[in-house]
Amino acid sequence: MEPTAAILFDLDGTLVDSGYLHTVCWWQALAQHDHRVPMARVHGALGLSGARLLDELLGPGRDRAADERIEAARTLLWARYSAVLQPFEAAAPLLRECLVRGWQVVLVSPAGPVGARELAVLGRALDGAELPVAAGEPGPGLLRSALALAGAAAEHSALVADTVWDARAAGLVGLPCVAVRSSGIAEQDLLAAGAAEVHPDVGALLAQLDDSLLARPRVFGQARR
């Protein structure tokens, strides 16, 4: 019996065009609390949970008293701006094509209002089709939960994601990462973080699917043996 093979699709910035919006919301929330962090540094921290993002930008030895207020400010800004969110045009066709090829597909989403909004946006593009969702703080634990949800082993599965932190988390789980540059992260940075492949966006990945790690589950599983 062939082992179950799954593709975990990161929602944030990979299937939904939200990467730069997240950058702006965090940057403004930090500024409201007198932290003048260059936007490029905020952009480089995309893919981290809120607490880890603040550690990355402000240092782990900081006074954490304002952390909850910064995150609350970011959530308010997100609520204001997220009405303009759109899925990438190729997101739904890519998901459908992977299902047709025999992959299990699991969406990986941040918990809370951010993830809920993005799931709703993607759901409309899928015309009501429902896919399993693993939600929680970004990192290896969330990826393990997504694999458990699919009943799949890491060595027969893959993650499609858009940040260096996603690629690093996948490496800790033994999960190959197919990266896309839809949030503007440089190809060399994604490869250095452990991505097996890098594509400009999900549209390019769909067009090149036959030549990617995601061509079909059986071929990918055999390649890993």
Side-chain angles (χ1 to χ4, degrees):
M1 180 177 172
E2 283 292 317
T4 299
I7 305 177
L8 314 184
F9 277 95
D10 171 59
L11 188 67
D12 229 359
T14 301
L15 298 175
V16 176
D17 192 3
S18 57
Y20 289 99
L21 182 57
H22 282 301
T23 300
V24 170
C25 289
W26 276 115
W27 177 75
Q28 287 192 316
L30 287 161
Q32 287 176 12
H33 290 81
D34 299 320
H35 296 292
R36 300 192 176 276
V37 181
M39 198 173 290
R41 286 196 62 217
V42 179
H43 181 253
L46 292 182
L48 292 171
S49 66
R52 289 188 63 208
L53 180 142
L54 293 174
D55 282 347
E56 178 73 13
L57 297 177
L58 304 180
R62 70 187 182 283
D63 178 0
R64 298 174 183 268
D67 282 10
E68 286 189 13
R69 294 193 297 275
I70 294 172
E71 293 204 47
R74 178 259 189 157
T75 300
L76 286 174
L77 289 161
W78 176 261
R80 181 189 309 168
Y81 292 134
S82 63
V84 302
L85 278 180
Q86 294 291 331
F88 288 106
E89 187 175 356
L94 176 60
L95 294 174
R96 293 191 186 99
E97 181 61 24
C98 289
L99 289 168
V100 166
R101 292 179 183 226
W103 290 98
Q104 287 204 62
V105 170
V106 178
L107 304 179
V108 179
S109 170
V114 171
R117 175 62 180 163
E118 293 192 338
L119 280 170
V121 167
L122 182 62
R124 289 196 295 272
L126 289 169
D127 299 324
E130 292 188 5
L131 293 171
V133 179
E137 282 200 359
L142 179 55
L143 299 182
R144 291 188 183 98
S145 296
L147 288 169
L149 184 61
E155 61 266 27
H156 296 288
S157 302
L159 170 70
V160 179
D162 64 310
T163 76
V164 297
W165 303 100
D166 296 321
R168 290 173 183 172
L172 292 173
V173 178
L175 186 66
C177 179
V178 174
V180 291
R181 297 198 58 244
S182 44
S183 289
I185 307 301
E187 179 176 2
Q188 62 267 28
D189 292 340
L190 292 165
L191 290 171
E197 297 176 6
V198 179
H199 301 266
D201 51 36
V202 288
L205 175 56
L206 177 60
Q208 299 160 11
L209 204 57
D210 284 333
D211 298 318
S212 78
L213 289 177
L214 311 183
R216 52 189 55 85
R218 182 171 298 178
V219 169
F220 183 65
Q222 290 171 347
R224 294 294 295 175
R225 290 178 185 148

